Amino acid sequence: MKHISLFAAVAAILLTGAISRADEKAPASPASPYAGTGDLVIDKPEDKVDVPPVPAPEGAIVLFNGKDVSDWTSNKGGECKWEVVDGVLQGKPGTGDILSKHLFEGAYKLHVEFRIPYEPNNHSQGRGNSGVYLNSHWEVQVLDSYHNDTYADGACGAIYSIEPPKVNAAKAPTVWQAYDIEFHPAKCEDGKVVERPTATVIWNGVKVHENTKLTKDSTPAGNGGDICKAGPLKLQDHGHPVQFRNIWTTPLKE
């Protein structure tokens, strides 16, 4: 009996250790990707401070009202299946990209605030991935770029596959960040492009692109089509519950 008890005790210890190691390797609960950042090393105190929310100014076109998804449709056709959680728009993995019902024609400034979940068991492009597509063609990348290496023109703040951000201005995951983007569309004559579109991107108050020429008609996963025509804003479903708030635009002079 003593030998059996000793065997059982050793087995219990080994099993407990296995469960503990399994727990350490298990991914964070998908229900709580914003619960905290665990033992993530924080470089500066301000990296854990949300950008202040910037509501739409008078006369702006509001693309998300904090209440519902009535101003959006699915890129696949039909209703937008993303969710509104505590007044913010949250991507619902597997439901597809979404498009604004508003179509953009001419130059505009876009303000959008975003929050990236903490996914410590993922890396590179698998960590908090989404994107803001100007006129549904050109992606300004959304990604967890805080202590997460990836290729330069795929990092957060990059104009995907065209140009990396000048600096990494990332805040820690779970913290609100912001893009202020000035977009000037292509100039066209007789339906042909005579001058390429450009974008200036300010990320968390830091200018990371200035009049960057958009040298492709569409970045990967962009909608393609005629860039001389008006197009919607697109937000990407890349399989991560990235959140958005205060999405609005104002016209710019050409």
Side-chain angles (χ1 to χ4, degrees):
M1 291 293 292
K2 289 182 179 178
H3 291 298
I4 295 174
S5 298
L6 179 60
F7 177 81
V10 172
I13 291 170
L14 292 173
L15 180 59
T16 300
I19 292 172
S20 176
R21 288 192 296 274
D23 287 344
E24 289 172 1
K25 295 179 182 178
S29 167
S32 58
Y34 295 98
T37 53
D39 58 357
L40 178 67
V41 174
I42 302 301
D43 298 329
K44 306 182 297 295
E46 55 266 34
D47 294 345
K48 285 285 287 181
V49 178
D50 295 335
V51 295
V54 180
E58 185 176 354
I61 297 168
V62 177
L63 300 176
F64 174 61
N65 60 15
K67 298 177 182 179
D68 55 49
V69 293
S70 59
D71 292 319
W72 298 84
T73 62
S74 170
N75 195 45
K76 299 176 180 179
E79 296 181 356
C80 168
K81 291 183 167 47
W82 287 23
E83 300 173 327
V84 178
V85 179
D86 297 328
V88 303
L89 179 63
Q90 180 169 302
K92 188 174 182 181
T95 61
D97 304 341
I98 61 172
L99 304 174
S100 67
K101 291 183 179 178
H102 179 82
L103 300 182
F104 292 90
E105 192 169 22
Y108 59 87
K109 173 187 174 181
L110 168 68
H111 178 85
V112 55
E113 296 163 16
F114 59 94
R115 190 157 72 133
I116 295 167
Y118 183 44
E119 300 173 319
N121 297 292
N122 299 336
H123 68 280
S124 188
Q125 295 292 299
R127 201 155 159 173
N129 196 324
S130 183
V132 175
Y133 287 75
L134 306 172
N135 287 30
S136 82
H137 297 294
W138 302 279
E139 179 183 14
V140 181
Q141 173 76 303
V142 172
L143 189 78
D144 181 0
S145 281
Y146 201 84
H147 296 303
N148 179 40
D149 292 334
T150 191
Y151 45 92
D153 60 6
C156 196
I159 299 176
Y160 194 90
S161 80
I162 292 178
E163 187 170 316
K166 296 183 186 303
V167 298
N168 183 354
K171 287 182 174 286
T174 78
V175 175
W176 282 104
Q177 308 188 56
Y179 284 146
D180 286 286
I181 301 169
E182 292 187 0
F183 174 73
H184 291 266
K187 291 183 179 179
C188 301
E189 294 179 2
D190 299 323
K192 295 183 179 180
V193 176
V194 295
E195 191 172 327
R196 300 299 304 179
T198 62
T200 294
V201 180
I202 297 174
W203 174 22
N204 296 335
V206 180
K207 187 178 287 186
V208 295
H209 295 280
E210 185 167 15
N211 295 323
T212 295
K213 188 175 291 187
L214 307 180
T215 54
K216 302 177 180 180
D217 285 359
S218 178
T219 55
N223 277 9
D226 187 353
I227 67 170
C228 292
K229 295 181 178 179
L233 185 71
K234 182 169 88 163
L235 300 179
Q236 185 184 38
D237 168 25
H238 203 284
H240 306 267
V242 176
Q243 295 182 337
F244 298 89
R245 70 180 186 189
N246 290 324
I247 310 174
W248 51 264
T249 70
T250 54
L252 292 174
K253 293 181 179 179
E254 293 287 356

